[in-house]
Amino acid sequence: MRATGFGVLEKSDRLIYIASGCIKTKDDDLPARLKTIWEGLREIIGAYRPQHVAVEKVFVNINPQSTLLLGQARGVAICAAVADKLAVFEYTALQVKQAVVGNGHARKEQVQEMVRRLLYLPVAPQADAADALACAICHAHGGMGMGALVTAGYRMKKGRLVR
């Protein structure tokens, strides 16, 4: 069983948790798994009507097959958003961890705990849902805020924006 996490937040004077969870796929063939992700995301988009979608960029993994499969699932997620004419924003894992934990090399458990604290949740979300919520937090805080900064000529180095 594989899982694709999702998280929905509302931004007012603070971040408000709306929903999160995982779209679980069976160990079927790849087209069937991608269809399950597509249908799940279309249902979530229809139910919550987000204004933006934030996704994590694929990093090159030790296992090229895993990287390829992750990229295909990510492509389906982007297509599901674009089908509803939603803007899609992409962040690296380093950017997400830096925005949420303050350390671009934070462990999954640290991300889960900070997501719990930032969203005032009674318990930490499951890892895949926490990653999706962290990406949404990054977009709501760092992503949109950094969009106002002049970032031309800057790059990410060790989880920080540097010239």
Side-chain angles (χ1 to χ4, degrees):
M1 181 93 44
R2 296 183 175 111
T4 299
F6 71 89
V8 182
L9 302 177
E10 180 181 318
K11 184 177 180 186
S12 57
D13 56 333
R14 69 178 185 89
L15 293 177
I16 301 165
Y17 172 86
I18 303 296
S20 66
C22 293
I23 299 166
K24 296 188 190 270
T25 60
K26 296 181 175 134
D27 289 329
D28 295 330
D29 62 332
L30 180 63
R33 290 196 322 255
L34 296 177
K35 182 178 186 266
T36 300
I37 294 168
W38 168 266
E39 290 171 344
L41 289 173
R42 297 291 293 152
E43 185 177 315
I44 292 160
I45 290 168
Y48 297 106
R49 296 284 175 209
Q51 294 178 351
H52 305 132
V53 173
V55 296
E56 196 171 297
K57 288 183 181 179
V58 174
F59 63 94
V60 178
N61 198 327
I62 292 171
N63 181 344
Q65 183 64 22
S66 295
T67 303
L68 182 61
L69 293 172
L70 181 60
Q72 290 169 320
R74 190 176 160 281
V76 167
I78 291 169
C79 287
V82 171
D84 266 326
K85 298 177 179 56
L86 295 172
V88 177
F89 299 86
E90 300 175 80
Y91 302 96
T92 66
L94 286 173
Q95 288 173 305
V96 171
K97 290 175 181 180
Q98 180 68 35
V100 174
V101 180
N103 175 2
H105 298 286
R107 296 183 329 273
K108 275 204 173 284
E109 298 81 16
Q110 291 173 300
V111 173
Q112 286 175 279
E113 179 58 20
M114 283 307 297
V115 165
R116 183 192 71 76
R117 288 176 183 222
L118 289 169
L119 299 177
Y120 304 99
L121 301 174
V123 296
Q126 187 272 340
D128 292 312
D131 287 347
L133 287 166
C135 199
I137 291 167
C138 175
H139 179 63
H141 282 173
M144 292 167 76
M146 288 179 110
L149 295 174
V150 177
T151 57
Y154 288 85
R155 61 187 173 84
M156 290 300 292
K157 182 175 181 182
K158 295 186 179 178
R160 298 198 183 276
L161 194 61
V162 296
R163 195 172 267 273

